[in-house]
Amino acid sequence: MYISTETGSLHKIFETYEEKLTALSYAGFDAYDFTMCGYCTWTRDENYVAKASDLRKFADGTGIACNQTHAPYPLVYEADKKRTAERFDEIVRSLEITSILGAKLCVVHPWNNYTPQQNAQIYKRLEPYARKFGVMIALENMWNWNWGEPDEHAQPAACSDENSFNAHLDLLDGEIFCAVADIGHAEMFGLNTSAASMIKSLGKRIKGIHLHDNDRKNDSHMLPFTSRIDFNSVIDALKEIDYQGDITLESNSYLPRFPKALIPDALKMMATTADYFRKELQKRR
């Protein structure tokens, strides 16, 4: 069971991926979640194979593994068929990059506003590529938002509750498709679920997690135990399903709050927190 965190929050702190992985390894992480959304342009770069190969070589020499990756999103641009087709090609490349880096899971968000059947049509087109590259595609629980209303809060979206999530996975091959349970998303008011209930419902379909804290309303992506989520219930639920995946933080709003001089200590605190979850889960054995 690896402890890991995403590379996205390190973007403005370190210039190169080599610096990022060195910092994570020094802090105590034994793996990293490679972020291919937002600032990362690898899936649009013709040299993506060489870049991924070089990073894999460096990581192997450093002793840090890539445990999962995060493909670019959104999956669909509803008003732009050309951009949607380009995005499909980018996600195919993200699957190949995942394989080169040595990860087993690539998170590919469902399109928020599609039904399970509509999303399944796209995922089934991706399935041959996942098989070719030997990786699993992980769906993630998402959310919408009722912007501008007096009581703004999260609104249902694809996989935002356990019924929708299971309905998506029911249409897909379990050898290739799985769930990454986003703990923070599951605790947002308005989605009629909780992290514990989602974990218990999805059960063995969960092969990875995104672990972060919030005020149980906003998608804050803070370090666990710094806000309002009850992580004792999360740990109990993971124990109940005998979770065998890794502990991957997605606390990307936590690190940028610190001045650069404190980043090494902040990273160590993140690794210590992730290791706490690992140790708690290992007590079940």
Side-chain angles (χ1 to χ4, degrees), residues 8-237:
S9 59
L10 301 172
H11 169 54
K12 294 183 179 180
I13 300 170
F14 300 103
E15 291 186 6
T16 69
Y17 282 110
E18 289 77 10
E19 290 174 316
K20 295 173 187 178
L21 298 195
T22 299
L24 292 178
S25 180
Y26 180 77
F29 288 102
D30 44 33
Y32 67 98
D33 177 355
F34 188 67
T35 307
M36 288 183 279
C37 39
Y39 70 92
C40 181
T41 61
W42 282 23
T43 58
R44 302 191 299 275
D45 191 326
E46 291 303 320
N47 296 321
Y48 71 98
V49 171
K51 288 184 174 182
S53 298
D54 288 345
L55 186 60
R56 172 67 183 275
K57 183 178 180 180
F58 178 84
D60 287 348
T62 304
I64 190 168
C66 183
N67 71 315
Q68 65 184 43
T69 68
H70 202 306
Y73 57 84
L75 183 64
V76 169
Y77 294 83
E78 290 184 343
D80 192 338
K81 291 184 178 180
K82 180 176 181 295
R83 186 68 189 95
T84 297
E86 292 172 346
R87 176 47 51 85
F88 182 87
D89 293 339
E90 291 167 11
I91 293 175
V92 170
R93 285 188 172 188
S94 73
L95 297 175
E96 184 175 3
I97 290 168
T98 302
S99 177
I100 294 170
L101 294 179
K104 300 302 182 184
L105 297 181
C106 180
V107 178
V108 180
H109 287 191
W111 176 229
N112 282 18
N113 302 320
Y114 271 6
T115 65
Q117 291 76 17
Q118 289 173 307
N119 277 316
Q121 289 180 3
I122 302 173
Y123 283 123
K124 287 178 180 179
R125 289 177 58 211
L126 290 168
E127 182 176 338
Y129 299 100
R131 291 186 182 278
K132 175 182 177 181
F133 298 124
V135 301
M136 294 191 77
I137 294 174
L139 283 65
E140 179 180 344
N141 46 309
M142 302 309 300
W143 54 272
N144 282 317
W145 195 264
N146 60 339
W147 300 102
E149 296 187 20
D151 62 338
E152 283 190 3
H153 56 75
Q155 296 279 78
C159 298
S160 63
D161 62 65
E162 46 266 37
N163 292 330
S164 175
F165 213 147
N166 276 312
H168 276 76
L169 292 172
D170 285 345
L171 299 173
L172 301 169
D173 189 332
E175 288 187 355
I176 299 298
F177 297 93
C178 64
V180 159
D182 189 294
I183 303 306
H185 292 176
E187 290 285 336
M188 295 173 70
F189 176 75
L191 301 183
N192 300 314
T193 188
S194 69
S197 64
M198 179 168 283
I199 289 166
K200 293 175 185 178
S201 179
L202 291 170
K204 295 295 185 182
R205 286 174 154 174
I206 299 176
K207 304 300 183 185
I209 57 174
H210 280 158
L211 192 61
H212 54 99
D213 207 345
N214 62 35
D215 60 0
R216 303 192 69 194
K217 178 180 179 181
N218 298 287
D219 190 24
S220 310
H221 284 266
M222 289 299 293
L223 189 66
F225 306 112
T226 63
S227 197
R228 294 187 57 200
I229 293 177
D230 174 13
F231 284 101
N232 290 325
S233 67
V234 172
I235 290 169
D236 288 344

